[in-house]
Amino acid sequence: MDRLGFGGISGDEMKHPFVLSCFQDWNRTWQTHNPDLTPCFQNTVLVWIPCLYLWLFAPFYILYLKRNDRGYICMTHLNRAKTVIGFTLWLICWADVFYSFWERSHGAAIAPVYLVSPTMLGVTMLLATFLIQYERMKGVQSSGVMLNFWLIAIVCATVTFRSKILHALNEVNMNFPASVNVFKYTTFYIYYTMLLISLILACLSDQPPLFSQAVKDSNPCPESGASFLSRITFWWITGLMVTGYKRPLEEKDLWSLNTEDKSQRVVPQLVRRWDQECNKVKRSEVRKSEILLAKTLQKTGEPSLFCALCRTFGPYFLVSSLYKIIHDILMFVGPEILRLLIQFVNDSSAPTWHGYFYTTLLFVCTCVQTLILQKYFHVCFVTGMRLRTAIVGAVYRKALVITNAARRTSTVGEIVNLMSVDAQRFMDLITYINMIWSAPLQVILALYFLWQNLGPSVLAGVAVMVLMVPVNAVIAMKTKTYQVAQMKSKDNRIKLMNEVLNGIKVLKLYAWELAFKDKVSAIRESELRVLKKTAYLGAVSTFTWVCAPFLVALSTFAVYVLMDEHNILDAQKAFVSLALFNILRFPLNMLPMVISSMVQASVSMKRLRVFLSHEELDEDNVERPAITACDASLCLFRIHVRIPEGALVAVVGHVGSGKSSLLSALLGEMQKQEGSVSIKGSVAYVPQQAWIQNATLKDNILFGRDAKDSWYQKVVEACALLPDLEILPGGDLTEIGEKGVNLSGGQKQRVSVARAIYCNCAVYLLDDPLSAVDAHVGKHIFEKVIGPQGLLQGRTRVLVTHGLSFLPQADLILVMVDGEITEMGSYTELLGRQGAFAEFLRTYTNTEQEEVEESVGGEAGLLISELLSCFHASVLSHSPCSISVSCRQSQISLNAAGTGKTPQKTEPNDVAAAKKAKSTEAARLTEADKANTGRVKLSVFWEYMKAIGLPLSIFSIFLFFCHHLSSLGSNYWLSLWTDDPVINNTQPNREMRLGVYGALGLTQGDLTDIHVVLSVGGILASRYLHQTMLYNVLRSPMSFFERTPSGNLVNRFAKETDTIDSVIPSIIKMFMGSMFNVLGSCAVILIATPLVAIIIPPLGLLYFFVQRFYVASSRQLKRLESVSRSPVYTHFNETLLGTSVIRAFGEQQRFIRESDGRVDHNQKAYFPSIVANRWLAVRLEFVGNCIVAFAALFAVMARDSLSPGIMGLSISYALQVTTYLNWLVRMSSELETNIVAVEKVKEYGDTEKEAEWRLEHSTLPAGWPTTGHIEIRNFGLRYREDLELAISDISVNIEGGEKVGIVGRTGAGKSSLTLGLFRIIEAAQGEICVDGVNIAELGLHELRSRITIIPQVPHLNTPKQCWGKLLLKVIVIFNGIKYLARALLRKTKILVLDEATAAVDLETDNLIQSTIRTQFEDCTVLTIAHRLNTIMDYTRVLVLDKGQMAEFDSPSNLTAKKGIFYKMAKDSGLV
């Protein structure tokens, strides 16, 4: 096989080719100015290496392909070309074999290797051709295994190719052209050409497999279809980067996620593993209880979340460990080559090509190291991404199934933190977790090479490292303590912020913003105190990191030179050792950080484990038997009831008697102690507090069901929603804000009822759905929906009610007292028994007979009474009232942007025409979090510097400069030391050199104060930015909170604030450090080899271009990721408020899909950002590798004029410049992308603000208002600039002390008037004067603190510190009574009741009304009333209709006029 090096070899060698050793002629290969390998080596080793590679990997590769079938790729031109070339190569090999046989038959002495090598190569080529086809059948578009095979083959053949050309030229020059074997030369050149073509073809990617996701997807991720070269260099993202450079990236530019990264693939894997861990613990507990009979109880085992995570993500993550091992080994090639280069400079007799060979080897090794490291990081980041997806998905799924008791132990803030902060901690850790084993490995390898270099003196360095271990251990333990404390404060802050944001309307109505601002600020201060302690601890830790490598080097050099005066510290020893110490610096620096990250992650893991271990609702609480008798039976706490199919069952009882608990038990929401509950058929549930999604009104009603227009129209009409659809700007396509902020309380409740009806279920559980609607609307809904002739006739209906007028129509009435059913039967049966029920009715009827006349079936009193109320007795005797177990989460109701009522009339039946007239823009309410575009403005950086303080910022930069100058000085001093002349085998000035070297190094350690300065500066900035944002948010008007989803605001106070607290200061430290390191390295290289000045400017330009090219996309991707994160939390918050409804309707899977979709949408922006980081790193490290190569190259070229010390210093710095460049760009881009958090926080400073809370020069009298006289002149307001007036032209004069009722159907503008009085919405026309003072001229707190409101749906718990001891003496049980207590404490001259008693039973309502009549006798009282009986004794009544004043007179006069008020009173049975 002459092509492998035997063409033209002498006859003696031909006869005995293996008599001589393959490595016989080292002088021919190494000690020569024109090197070459021996023919024997070329013919055996260079042929066998590619063959061995392929045969070694083929079995594993075939097995892998068999298990990972991606589909079938049709035969393409590319595949045909690969196959044809494979067969051609096989034929060439066989041609060589047959030619050798032919030569042998003609008497030539052919050695066996001529037959063995081409035969082996031929079979290997056949295997390669088979693999090409097998890959096609298994859907592999580009193969790394085959590319590497062709690369190895071409490299081996290139050596032979050069040897052959040299041999041929030599033969021609010596005039022996006949000795060249033309056939074998020809076959070899064809073979080499085919190899080259195969290598090029292997770099290309084939078409996608049939029916693959990439074919179906409109914008698939290009990774799966990218070639192997493209994948390892991350070239496949370049298209997106170019787009991002040309214009800001948008959502449509983002690729779909890879299937293996999607939630539907990742989350079930973790959930399954976690369930296995839980089951394992349960089984072990069962075994222990069976086996152990000891008296002492053993500690209960806990399921391991760590094991579940390892089993889920471990196999993929192990690939990163393989990459890490290869990278760690390659790291030590650099110092070895440096040693050879210094040796080369010292040895003037060494051939020049040695230097170029070392330079080339150094460049190749650093490039391979770069590719390996970036693949390692890619695997780590993708694992981290999947881990976050899995944790968020697992937490969401768990939140849907935990019990109410468990939910009370984990607040919304804590659960949001689990999804944001804790999941992020895992992502951060996963990148560096391999350092736990990699750092010790690097330390051991470094010490081994140091031992080889410096001998036993390296033990001094080891001793220093051992001493550092306990210091780092103590720091890690303290960090964990602080971490727990910080997370606790963060949880409390987010919990309080959630309360504030949910109850912002109440805060504004009561002027409590400052009180709650102080409360949040107090928690924030405790959080910052912990952060400051962590900063000081971090400074100590940093001091050890900076000093440890230097102390190791100092102690080692000191012991080495002082141990024996003949120990010479020359350039080779010093700078190879220094390069090894620099390698040592990384694991020593990283290990404490990794330990700290692990400590943080362990805290997060514990929090996650506790949450995921919470008790879940037992699905067996409610049995769903397939029985023919469609009954529901319940046995719970001495309760036994059997409800016939299709019955209407009313549940009555005083407040806290257990009515809602009964429904909760039927839903399976309560823990079953004994007995059984069984329900046949599907269930629909209407909660007491309507739960409304942030979606269109139609979507709220459909609730994931298919749209059926005819049924939908019936439902909307039956729920009295048609007039509302006319009023809403976009009809039923109007977007409803979070918690239904732009619907009134009645509208929300009717939407909730409509949702239940539309679902068309067998069983309906209705928890007092009519309390929040007007009496006539309630009557309409009962008749059209719930009653015997309603849409739900024939369905089983369980109705909790306070409206006793409906009871005669119920088939069965359940009377509840203290959690038990005391009486049960039909209405007439219960009256006939003459029991407590009948006695109560008679008593109540006698006392109220004068006020109320009967309306239904001759039973007076039913309209105004509620039964068995023990509230008076409870309060007076201080006996505890039995409170319903189900948590009645209160929410804020607001007539907001969407309820701009238009005065124009629309025909009520012409809904379609009305819808067409609606504006799509007007239908939108909430504003999605928008991503800014373009570069981050310098003003943002300037704002952050101002937040730190300019003097502190400048001082920090100066300290950084001094720190790095001393570092540079110590290394330059070392190079001068190594160049000292050796006299009598000793260096004379070594003590002086050692002393100065040590002093310069310790100066570096002292200058680590910069980290304390920067950390304190970061805390000052955090405090300022958080306080400013909190103040700006609280100053925002209500319209801001209606437009802005709470998830956006929570995201600012959670994730963005955490970024400003922890991430930005550490990034600034690393950015400054990297920048000075790069500048220092370039300075040293330029001093050593000035020729590098030719190369550094173009490389610098390339570096700058790559960096700007990258940042344009990276910054925008970060913004898109931040924007898409908010909807994840918004949806999660929404879900937590409505879990009982979601479970009741069986919609868990749909909500899980929605949550998964939002998480995937967020990861769509995150995935390209991590790939962009890798893209950048590969290119920047290539620039760095070029600097290393050129530094070495110019050092080789100038070896005659260069001292070994300066050369060693130059190349050791050059070896680090790659890392520094990479970190500099990464940190600059991280800084720019994370400073977006400051931008996001500051943006609320530019939003619209309310009027001033207090005016500086107020002339308001101290006791204002003194009489409570209210004059409303031509008053009107609108909710948004683009909407019609919600109320208009209202002129009313109310004397002080008057009691005025405000009535009108839902959406007439009743609450809007009160909003105008409190200036929640500013007047669009006219004015309101109180005691002659125009309220528009007052500060908001001056106004709101002087008048009192009991709002529609109270929410917030007043902080005790706001009111002191007085409030603590007031026994409050329900929200309405809390607000009554507050009103009593304020005792202002004007009191507004906004449907305050709609949702309480009639006796509690009576208590509240009598309290108001007696305690507020001399006050002006404005009452928005659903129950007209409460205002029949008022001075006057204001009737509103479609936003305008319809009637205003005394109740008796209005009744006599027989207008709108008369109709409403008639509907309520009062006339």
Side-chain angles (χ1 to χ4, degrees):
M1 192 171 170
D2 190 49
R3 64 185 172 78
L4 291 173
F6 283 84
I9 292 170
S10 66
D12 288 337
E13 278 189 352
M14 293 278 284
K15 291 174 186 173
H16 307 288
F18 285 91
V19 171
L20 300 172
S21 166
C22 277
F23 305 98
Q24 59 173 347
D25 198 356
W26 188 248
N27 288 332
R28 176 182 172 180
T29 306
W30 188 252
Q31 301 296 341
T32 178
H33 289 280
N34 192 13
D36 198 7
L37 292 171
T38 62
C40 172
F41 189 88
Q42 293 178 36
N43 193 46
T44 52
V45 176
L46 292 185
V47 177
W48 297 345
I49 284 174
C51 299
L52 287 172
Y53 163 82
L54 196 62
W55 284 100
L56 188 67
F57 280 95
F60 301 105
Y61 188 47
I62 290 168
L63 190 65
Y64 170 79
L65 290 176
K66 194 173 180 182
R67 290 186 175 177
N68 294 273
D69 193 345
R70 298 175 193 172
Y72 179 87
I73 298 175
C74 294
M75 185 67 83
T76 59
H77 293 305
L78 178 65
N79 207 272
R80 287 192 189 96
K82 287 180 181 178
T83 309
V84 167
I85 289 169
F87 274 117
T88 306
L89 286 166
W90 175 68
L91 289 171
I92 290 167
C93 294
W94 282 112
D96 266 353
V97 174
F98 292 137
Y99 186 76
S100 297
F101 275 119
W102 180 80
E103 282 188 315
R104 206 167 192 174
S105 66
H106 285 73
I110 302 298
V113 73
Y114 284 107
L115 304 173
V116 173
S117 289
T119 304
M120 182 188 287
L121 199 60
V123 175
T124 304
M125 291 303 166
L126 203 60
L127 174 63
T129 309
F130 164 74
L131 284 175
I132 287 166
Q133 285 305 309
Y134 194 63
E135 284 174 343
R136 181 181 67 79
M137 292 163 69
K138 293 296 179 183
V140 177
Q141 292 172 258
S142 180
S143 167
V145 173
M146 294 308 297
L147 180 69
N148 286 332
F149 167 70
W150 297 121
L151 185 64
I152 293 166
I154 200 83
V155 168
C156 292
T158 301
V159 176
T160 308
F161 183 72
R162 175 183 175 275
S163 189
K164 278 198 167 297
I165 290 173
L166 288 175
H167 178 259
L169 288 173
N170 188 42
E171 292 296 319
V172 170
N173 289 336
M174 293 176 69
N175 295 319
F176 294 117
S179 64
V180 176
N181 191 319
V182 177
F183 179 81
K184 291 199 172 181
Y185 267 67
T186 305
T187 56
F188 174 75
Y189 291 142
I190 295 170
Y191 166 82
Y192 188 78
T193 307
M194 292 292 123
L195 279 183
L196 206 56
I197 294 169
S198 289
L199 180 64
I200 293 166
L201 292 178
C203 294
L204 303 175
S205 180
D206 214 333
Q207 68 179 29
L210 290 173
F211 314 116
S212 72
Q213 193 64 34
V215 176
K216 300 174 193 171
D217 207 323
S218 58
N219 192 13
C221 177
E223 183 183 15
S224 57
S227 67
F228 176 74
L229 264 184
S230 178
R231 285 206 298 273
I232 62 169
T233 58
F234 299 95
W235 185 261
W236 52 272
I237 194 183
T238 307
L240 188 70
M241 305 287 281
V242 170
T243 306
Y245 186 67
K246 288 179 180 175
R247 61 170 174 80
L249 290 173
E250 300 168 17
E251 275 188 26
K252 64 182 181 185
D253 300 315
L254 302 177
W255 317 304
S256 302
L257 270 184
N258 290 321
T259 309
E260 54 271 21
D261 297 330
K262 289 184 178 175
S263 296
Q264 62 187 36
R265 172 76 68 86
V266 175
V267 181
Q269 292 175 353
L270 178 62
V271 171
R272 187 170 67 251
R273 298 287 199 289
W274 171 248
D275 289 342
Q276 288 169 0
E277 289 295 320
C278 294
N279 293 333
K280 198 189 299 177
V281 169
K282 286 175 186 171
R283 285 197 299 272
S284 66
E285 285 174 2
V286 169
R287 282 200 298 273
K288 281 178 188 173
S289 62
E290 289 173 353
I291 297 167
L292 297 172
L293 298 173
K295 291 180 183 178
T296 56
L297 290 171
Q298 289 207 342
K299 188 182 175 183
T300 310
E302 292 171 340
S304 171
L305 180 59
F306 178 72
C307 288
L309 290 171
C310 285
R311 289 173 61 200
T312 307
F313 303 104
Y316 178 73
F317 189 64
L318 280 175
V319 177
S320 71
S321 303
L322 179 64
Y323 286 133
K324 190 72 175 132
I325 290 170
I326 298 168
H327 172 260
D328 287 355
I329 293 166
L330 284 172
M331 279 175 70
F332 293 94
V333 173
E336 280 305 297
I337 295 174
L338 175 61
R339 182 177 65 78
L340 293 169
L341 276 168
I342 295 172
Q343 192 176 302
F344 165 76
V345 170
N346 284 331
D347 183 8
S348 57
S349 64
T352 309
W353 73 268
H354 282 193
Y356 298 125
F357 174 72
Y358 293 144
T359 303
T360 307
L361 191 62
L362 186 61
F363 181 68
V364 170
C365 283
T366 49
C367 285
V368 171
Q369 193 178 327
T370 294
L371 296 177
I372 294 287
L373 180 64
Q374 299 318 315
K375 281 301 287 180
Y376 158 74
F377 275 128
H378 183 62
V379 172
C380 287
F381 276 108
V382 170
T383 307
M385 183 182 80
R386 291 178 184 175
L387 188 66
R388 176 175 174 257
T389 298
I391 287 171
V392 170
V395 168
Y396 186 87
R397 284 157 172 76
K398 185 71 179 182
L400 282 174
V401 294
I402 60 173
T403 60
N404 291 322
R407 172 153 295 124
R408 283 195 291 274
T409 63
S410 295
T411 64
V412 174
E414 285 173 0
I415 302 172
V416 168
N417 272 348
L418 288 177
M419 297 178 77
S420 57
V421 180
D422 294 310
Q424 190 65 40
R425 296 233 190 284
F426 277 104
M427 281 181 74
D428 296 341
L429 174 66
I430 209 82
T431 318
Y432 300 108
I433 189 71
N434 274 318
M435 289 303 295
I436 286 296
W437 60 263
S438 173
L441 174 67
Q442 289 178 32
V443 169
I444 290 165
L445 286 171
L447 291 175
Y448 168 76
F449 286 109
L450 281 166
W451 184 284
Q452 297 294 315
N453 208 28
L454 296 174
S457 55
V458 79
L459 293 172
V462 175
V464 172
M465 283 191 288
V466 169
L467 287 172
M468 291 294 175
V469 171
V471 176
N472 286 327
V474 170
I475 289 170
M477 286 167 65
K478 289 297 290 178
T479 304
K480 180 172 182 177
T481 310
Y482 292 150
Q483 181 67 28
V484 172
Q486 189 193 344
M487 289 306 294
K488 188 176 179 183
S489 295
K490 198 185 293 290
D491 284 345
N492 289 336
R493 180 168 58 82
I494 300 301
K495 175 187 174 184
L496 184 59
M497 278 311 303
N498 262 313
E499 279 191 22
V500 167
L501 295 172
N502 287 337
I504 191 68
K505 184 187 175 190
V506 175
L507 251 72
K508 290 191 174 298
L509 289 170
Y510 278 80
W512 282 344
E513 291 100 328
L514 287 171
F516 276 87
K517 177 175 172 287
D518 293 342
K519 194 172 172 63
V520 173
S521 298
I523 299 172
R524 177 70 177 159
E525 282 303 312
S526 67
E527 192 180 344
L528 291 176
R529 278 196 295 275
V530 176
L531 264 176
K532 195 175 284 186
K533 290 177 186 174
T534 310
Y536 292 138
L537 203 62
V540 176
S541 185
T542 305
F543 178 78
T544 62
W545 302 346
V546 171
C547 289
F550 176 77
L551 289 174
V552 169
L554 179 65
S555 56
T556 305
F557 288 155
V559 170
Y560 180 72
V561 297
L562 297 174
M563 193 168 60
D564 186 348
E565 63 178 13
H566 296 300
N567 281 350
I568 306 299
L569 192 67
D570 59 16
Q572 186 175 318
K573 283 189 171 61
F575 287 103
V576 170
S577 299
L578 207 60
L580 290 166
F581 285 136
N582 284 330
I583 289 175
L584 200 59
R585 182 190 294 262
F586 184 71
L588 288 178
N589 285 359
M590 285 304 299
L591 203 54
M593 288 173 67
V594 172
I595 291 168
S596 172
S597 285
M598 287 185 71
V599 165
Q600 292 180 2
S602 68
V603 173
S604 295
M605 187 175 289
K606 184 181 178 185
R607 287 155 54 87
L608 277 164
R609 180 181 54 72
V610 167
F611 179 75
L612 293 175
S613 302
H614 276 329
E615 190 178 9
E616 296 182 8
L617 287 169
D618 188 356
E619 291 181 3
D620 296 333
N621 280 345
V622 178
E623 297 165 13
R624 300 188 182 274
I627 53 175
T628 50
C630 191
D631 296 343
S633 60
L634 169 69
C635 301
L636 185 64
F637 187 52
R638 299 196 296 274
I639 289 177
H640 183 89
V641 61
R642 188 178 182 83
I643 298 169
E645 181 184 7
L648 170 58
V649 179
V651 183
V652 293
H654 63 76
V655 174
S657 62
K659 304 185 295 296
S660 294
S661 299
L662 181 67
L663 296 194
S664 294
L666 287 169
L667 289 168
E669 295 282 316
M670 295 181 69
Q671 197 62 35
K672 185 176 66 177
Q673 301 297 328
E674 57 181 347
S676 65
V677 183
S678 66
I679 293 179
K680 171 82 183 291
S682 54
V683 176
Y685 172 55
V686 178
Q688 192 170 27
Q689 292 293 341
W691 175 68
I692 304 295
Q693 287 183 273
N694 180 200
T696 65
L697 187 136
K698 185 171 186 176
D699 288 339
N700 266 287
I701 295 173
L702 297 183
F703 205 53
R705 266 58 173 188
D706 294 332
K708 299 174 185 170
D709 288 340
S710 57
W711 176 239
Y712 175 76
Q713 288 301 327
K714 283 182 184 175
V715 169
V716 168
E717 189 176 352
C719 293
L721 282 169
L722 284 179
D724 300 291
L725 297 187
E726 297 168 28
I727 292 169
L728 293 170
D732 61 0
L733 298 179
T734 302
E735 184 188 1
I736 308 304
E738 284 188 77
K739 306 184 192 76
V741 292
N742 52 328
L743 296 179
S744 68
Q747 287 170 327
K748 283 193 284 189
Q749 196 63 271
R750 280 179 282 130
V751 169
S752 182
V753 172
R755 174 173 57 211
I757 304 166
Y758 188 83
C759 289
N760 215 0
C761 297
V763 178
Y764 284 81
L765 306 178
L766 311 169
D767 193 354
D768 201 11
L770 306 180
S771 62
V773 298
D774 299 321
H776 64 287
V777 177
K779 182 180 176 185
H780 171 88
I781 292 174
F782 187 83
E783 288 174 359
K784 298 286 185 181
V785 177
I786 302 168
Q789 306 304 317
L791 283 178
L792 299 183
Q793 61 177 317
R795 313 290 171 84
T796 307
R797 289 144 292 160
V798 180
L799 172 68
V800 171
T801 184
H802 293 124
L804 304 187
S805 59
F806 309 126
L807 296 185
Q809 299 180 61
D811 301 316
L812 183 67
I813 299 172
L814 307 179
V815 182
M816 296 201 70
V817 179
D818 293 336
E820 296 183 64
I821 296 176
T822 55
E823 290 186 274
M824 178 169 42
S826 69
Y827 181 73
T828 50
E829 285 173 3
L830 289 176
L831 277 181
R833 286 180 193 163
Q834 299 298 310
F837 177 74
E839 181 61 34
F840 177 82
L841 288 180
R842 287 196 195 92
T843 306
Y844 213 88
T845 303
N846 292 334
T847 57
E848 300 291 336
Q849 187 71 41
E850 295 172 8
E851 291 183 24
V852 185
E853 299 194 7
E854 88 178 78
S855 72
V856 187
E859 299 300 333
L862 290 177
L863 293 170
I864 46 83
S865 68
E866 173 67 322
L867 51 145
L868 302 172
S869 177
C870 67
F871 184 75
H872 294 80
S874 300
V875 173
L876 294 173
S877 65
H878 306 290
S879 61
C881 262
S882 172
I883 305 297
S884 167
V885 175
S886 66
C887 179
R888 298 178 184 179
Q889 184 109 25
S890 49
Q891 306 159 8
I892 295 302
S893 174
L894 177 68
N895 283 336
T899 50
K901 292 96 182 172
T902 56
Q904 290 92 343
K905 290 189 178 182
T906 310
E907 287 302 312
N909 295 326
D910 194 8
V911 181
K915 280 185 189 174
K916 286 177 186 175
K918 305 299 181 183
S919 158
T920 309
E921 274 304 309
R924 288 204 54 75
L925 171 68
T926 55
E927 293 177 353
D929 216 356
K930 293 186 181 72
N932 293 328
T933 57
R935 293 187 62 174
V936 176
K937 293 173 185 169
L938 287 174
S939 59
V940 179
F941 292 96
W942 181 246
E943 284 289 343
Y944 187 73
M945 282 184 74
K946 282 200 298 185
I948 292 174
L950 290 176
L952 202 60
S953 302
I954 294 162
F955 183 58
S956 301
I957 295 168
F958 174 71
L959 283 178
F960 259 110
F961 176 74
C962 294
H963 172 77
H964 285 86
L965 194 64
S966 64
S967 171
L968 202 64
S970 65
N971 287 330
Y972 183 68
W973 184 262
L974 184 65
S975 75
L976 295 176
W977 180 3
T978 58
D979 286 337
D980 277 354
V982 177
I983 303 168
N984 296 327
N985 289 328
T986 183
Q987 288 171 313
N989 298 323
R990 58 184 182 171
E991 286 84 2
M992 184 269 290
R993 294 286 192 190
L994 185 64
V996 173
Y997 180 65
L1000 285 167
L1002 290 173
T1003 307
Q1004 291 177 61
D1006 291 339
L1007 288 168
T1008 51
D1009 296 342
I1010 48 177
H1011 293 281
V1012 177
V1013 173
L1014 265 177
S1015 298
V1016 170
I1019 289 165
L1020 291 173
S1022 286
R1023 177 187 285 121
Y1024 172 75
L1025 290 169
H1026 181 271
Q1027 284 295 90
T1028 308
M1029 174 170 66
L1030 180 61
Y1031 180 73
N1032 283 331
V1033 166
L1034 291 175
R1035 280 286 318 281
S1036 299
M1038 276 308 302
S1039 56
F1040 167 81
F1041 296 97
E1042 291 145 22
R1043 290 194 309 270
T1044 311
S1046 64
N1048 293 9
L1049 291 165
V1050 170
N1051 190 25
R1052 299 289 188 278
F1053 283 98
K1055 185 70 177 69
E1056 312 295 4
T1057 301
D1058 185 57
T1059 300
I1060 294 168
D1061 286 350
S1062 311
V1063 180
I1064 291 178
S1066 62
I1067 285 175
I1068 289 173
K1069 288 177 204 170
M1070 288 188 277
F1071 171 75
M1072 296 294 289
S1074 303
M1075 185 175 72
F1076 281 110
N1077 278 328
V1078 168
L1079 292 173
S1081 299
C1082 289
V1084 167
I1085 295 166
L1086 282 168
I1087 290 165
T1089 49
L1091 274 174
V1092 175
I1094 303 166
I1095 296 302
I1096 283 184
L1099 284 178
L1101 282 172
L1102 177 63
Y1103 165 86
F1104 180 77
F1105 172 72
V1106 166
Q1107 196 254 10
R1108 294 319 309 166
F1109 188 76
Y1110 158 78
V1111 168
S1113 298
S1114 170
R1115 177 183 56 231
Q1116 200 61 18
L1117 286 168
K1118 178 78 175 177
R1119 283 168 170 165
L1120 288 170
E1121 192 269 332
S1122 177
V1123 164
S1124 62
R1125 196 190 310 121
S1126 297
V1128 175
Y1129 305 140
T1130 302
H1131 182 252
F1132 187 62
N1133 271 322
E1134 192 174 79
T1135 302
L1136 286 176
L1137 294 174
T1139 44
S1140 57
V1141 176
I1142 294 165
R1143 286 196 289 255
F1145 284 90
E1147 289 289 324
Q1148 294 97 318
Q1149 289 308 312
R1150 181 168 68 84
F1151 276 79
I1152 285 170
R1153 284 195 301 274
E1154 172 69 18
S1155 174
D1156 286 354
R1158 293 188 183 212
V1159 172
D1160 287 348
H1161 187 66
N1162 178 228
Q1163 301 292 36
K1164 267 173 65 176
Y1166 177 72
F1167 178 67
S1169 70
I1170 61 176
V1171 178
N1173 268 328
R1174 306 281 66 79
W1175 179 93
L1176 173 75
V1178 168
R1179 278 137 194 85
L1180 285 190
E1181 290 199 14
F1182 178 75
V1183 172
N1185 296 340
C1186 288
I1187 292 174
V1188 174
F1190 282 114
L1193 179 66
F1194 291 132
V1196 168
M1197 290 166 66
R1199 67 168 172 162
D1200 297 329
S1201 60
L1202 203 61
S1203 74
I1206 292 293
M1207 183 195 181
L1209 180 68
S1210 170
I1211 296 176
S1212 63
Y1213 264 99
L1215 284 169
Q1216 294 177 73
V1217 83
T1218 307
T1219 308
Y1220 294 151
L1221 276 174
N1222 196 3
W1223 272 102
L1224 178 59
V1225 174
R1226 192 185 303 174
M1227 287 307 109
S1228 62
S1229 61
E1230 282 289 308
L1231 182 60
E1232 196 164 346
T1233 48
N1234 280 290
I1235 207 80
V1236 170
V1238 176
E1239 189 180 35
K1240 292 276 187 191
V1241 164
K1242 291 293 291 179
E1243 73 183 15
Y1244 289 143
D1246 303 326
T1247 53
E1248 180 192 357
K1249 297 289 177 289
E1250 284 186 310
E1252 289 297 324
W1253 285 338
R1254 292 193 182 277
L1255 300 179
E1256 285 184 22
H1257 306 291
S1258 176
T1259 56
L1260 197 65
W1264 180 90
T1266 51
T1267 59
H1269 173 260
I1270 302 171
E1271 187 178 358
I1272 303 173
R1273 301 174 192 153
N1274 196 32
F1275 185 75
L1277 58 79
R1278 58 167 55 88
Y1279 286 92
R1280 284 205 316 248
E1281 289 298 323
D1282 57 335
L1283 295 176
E1284 297 286 340
L1285 290 171
I1287 54 175
S1288 60
D1289 303 323
I1290 293 179
S1291 298
V1292 177
N1293 192 7
I1294 300 168
E1295 297 298 330
E1298 270 196 291
K1299 307 293 182 287
V1300 175
I1302 303 172
V1303 298
R1305 76 174 303 281
T1306 303
K1310 304 187 295 293
S1311 292
S1312 301
L1313 190 58
T1314 61
L1315 295 178
L1317 179 62
F1318 282 83
R1319 286 178 62 196
I1320 295 294
I1321 299 169
E1322 297 288 357
Q1325 65 177 44
E1327 62 181 16
I1328 299 177
C1329 294
V1330 174
D1331 282 4
V1333 177
N1334 186 346
I1335 62 170
E1337 297 170 1
L1338 300 176
L1340 291 180
H1341 281 191
E1342 291 172 326
L1343 169 67
R1344 293 169 184 171
S1345 61
R1346 307 292 181 93
I1347 54 180
T1348 305
I1349 186 169
I1350 300 180
Q1352 193 172 25
V1353 187
H1355 174 81
L1356 215 73
N1357 292 323
T1358 319
K1360 292 174 187 174
Q1361 51 266 56
C1362 288
W1363 298 103
K1365 293 179 182 177
L1366 275 175
L1367 186 59
L1368 300 179
K1369 293 177 182 177
V1370 181
I1371 300 170
V1372 291
I1373 299 173
F1374 296 101
N1375 285 325
I1377 298 168
K1378 283 183 190 175
Y1379 280 82
L1380 181 61
R1382 288 167 185 154
L1384 284 165
L1385 287 168
R1386 280 194 167 192
K1387 200 71 175 174
T1388 57
K1389 279 291 177 182
I1390 297 175
L1391 174 66
V1392 179
L1393 281 81
D1394 189 356
E1395 302 176 328
T1397 60
V1400 296
D1401 60 79
L1402 293 180
E1403 187 163 351
T1404 308
D1405 184 7
N1406 197 38
L1407 167 73
I1408 293 170
Q1409 294 298 337
S1410 64
T1411 305
I1412 289 166
R1413 288 187 187 102
T1414 55
Q1415 299 298 321
F1416 297 94
E1417 189 176 1
D1418 58 340
C1419 299
T1420 305
V1421 179
L1422 304 180
T1423 301
I1424 295 174
H1426 277 317
R1427 294 173 177 169
L1428 296 189
N1429 61 296
T1430 60
I1431 59 162
M1432 292 303 282
D1433 62 342
Y1434 274 29
T1435 318
R1436 285 189 287 176
V1437 174
L1438 172 64
V1439 183
L1440 295 177
D1441 185 41
K1442 295 185 179 176
Q1444 294 184 317
M1445 184 175 75
E1447 299 173 354
F1448 185 46
D1449 209 335
S1450 66
S1452 55
N1453 289 347
L1454 290 176
T1455 307
K1457 285 179 185 176
K1458 298 200 174 181
I1460 296 174
F1461 183 77
Y1462 173 78
K1463 289 177 186 173
M1464 292 175 71
K1466 189 176 182 182
D1467 284 339
S1468 300
L1470 297 174
V1471 292

